[in-house]
Amino acid sequence: MLLLLVFFGVGLWLYAKRVTDARVDRFIAVYALTPTVSGRAELRSYLTRRRRARAAGVLVGASIGLVGSIPDDRVDFAFVPMVAGWLVGSIAVELAERAGGGRAEQPVRVSSRWNLMLAAVGLLWTTAAVSLRGEGVGYGPLLAWGAGALATVLVVFAATRYAKRYRPRDQFPLDPDLGPAATTDAVRGLTAGGLALALLCLARVWTEAVPGPYAEAPRHVQAVWLVAIVLLVLTTVTGRWRGRTWWALAMVAVLPIAWAVPIRLAHQAPFGPEEAHATGQIQVARLDRVPAVQARLGLKQDPQISNIGAESLPAELIGRVDVTRPAPDGTYYRLFGFDSHTNDAIFLYGADGAGWYGEWSRVLPARYSWLSNVVRAGGTNEPMAVAVDSDSGVLWFRSAGADPGKQAAVDLQLVLMLVRDEDSYIYWATPVLSDRR
């Protein structure tokens, strides 16, 4: 909440405050101008209007991002809507400044080559991302973000073309050099903002495609993207770096592919689920009969229920899963279950207690259609997973809850997963064929 107040407080302050004399002096120095007193005042007014439009756009974009994050029960400052808001504000103020101004006698010459460059990068990235996309990732999100980048290129191209060809309305009558300088600065700003937004859209192509539906992207990927975007923006719109544009473009174009290929190669499982030959045994037992059922299943007796014998106690699900191939080094098995009729998760616990909450319960449905109802609209139905007993080496489980016997053994669908130890990436998940009694 404090962060929200600070962010919107600073944004409103920037919106209300006029630009300083120091900002006007920097503008004059960059373009080597010698304005009159009235020209300087008009320039300050123009820069103030421009900053207010941009600040308003950022605040509106941030608000849209915050509202969009509410269904996910989180507060998120999304960069894409904020940059889009900044760009919309920038375009709006330039169109308003030039409404009725007429054509410029000599259009400002500012390079627009970044449109061609970004089109080439977008085509390369989208094609490569579709080819390298993770399991369960469809074409739709990738093409949608790619289309967003293309739309940004077209809108900014049209806006900069208009700004270069039409002069500001009734501005700088005594300072003929201020108009072209303001237009040049506006075009560079639009170019930088459009480039940043388009690259953010293309970055989302990669974060959607790789590593796939499981959210285990490298922690530093955001910083890498930010550096790449800033570098390409600088080389495009800054005169000092402009000669290195193609070098920077080549580096930025190769960067996500070099990042994605090793991750996708690491997604290859050491072996497939069919080689595990997972089989399960599930029984329903009253709590006073659990020790006998455990013995029948070859499990050691649970000391927590050894003295229970009341006839009125509810029943429980109890069982084990056997695999013919142990998990290799650096991986481990996890097991969860759900009611095949209601698709409700069944709370299981095993040797290590009450299992494991994980992002896997929200992402596996994208990879496996038979798990598509594990997550339902309006909330997450998170199952709990159990691990192999380190003492016996057996993957056993029991149900838990106030009256877990409401789930009959025939309704319990067990799911076995092979998980990478390093970052909990799930190589595969497979249904377990079980003997239910």
Side-chain angles (χ1 to χ4, degrees), residues 46-57:
Y46 163 72
L47 294 176
T48 299
R49 292 192 296 273
R50 190 174 74 178
R51 187 173 71 178
R52 286 175 176 172
R54 291 174 174 178

Side-chain angles (χ1 to χ4, degrees), residues 208-223:
E208 290 285 340
V210 179
Y214 191 79
E216 93 290 0
R219 294 182 178 89
H220 304 298
V221 65
Q222 300 291 347

Side-chain angles (χ1 to χ4, degrees), residues 103 107-108 112 155-166 187 190:
R103 279 184 172 269
V108 174
S112 299
V155 168
V156 173
F157 175 76
T160 54
R161 185 180 177 86
Y162 179 85
K164 288 187 289 186
R165 294 196 172 198
Y166 289 85
V187 170
L190 292 173

Side-chain angles (χ1 to χ4, degrees), residues 58-102:
V58 171
L59 292 176
V60 171
S63 301
I64 293 174
L66 290 173
V67 172
S69 67
I70 291 176
D72 296 330
D73 296 324
R74 58 190 174 87
V75 176
D76 185 14
F77 281 102
F79 283 110
V80 171
M82 285 195 289
V83 176
W86 185 95
L87 184 60
V88 170
S90 298
I91 293 175
V93 73
E94 297 305 329
L95 294 179
E97 292 292 324
R98 287 163 174 77

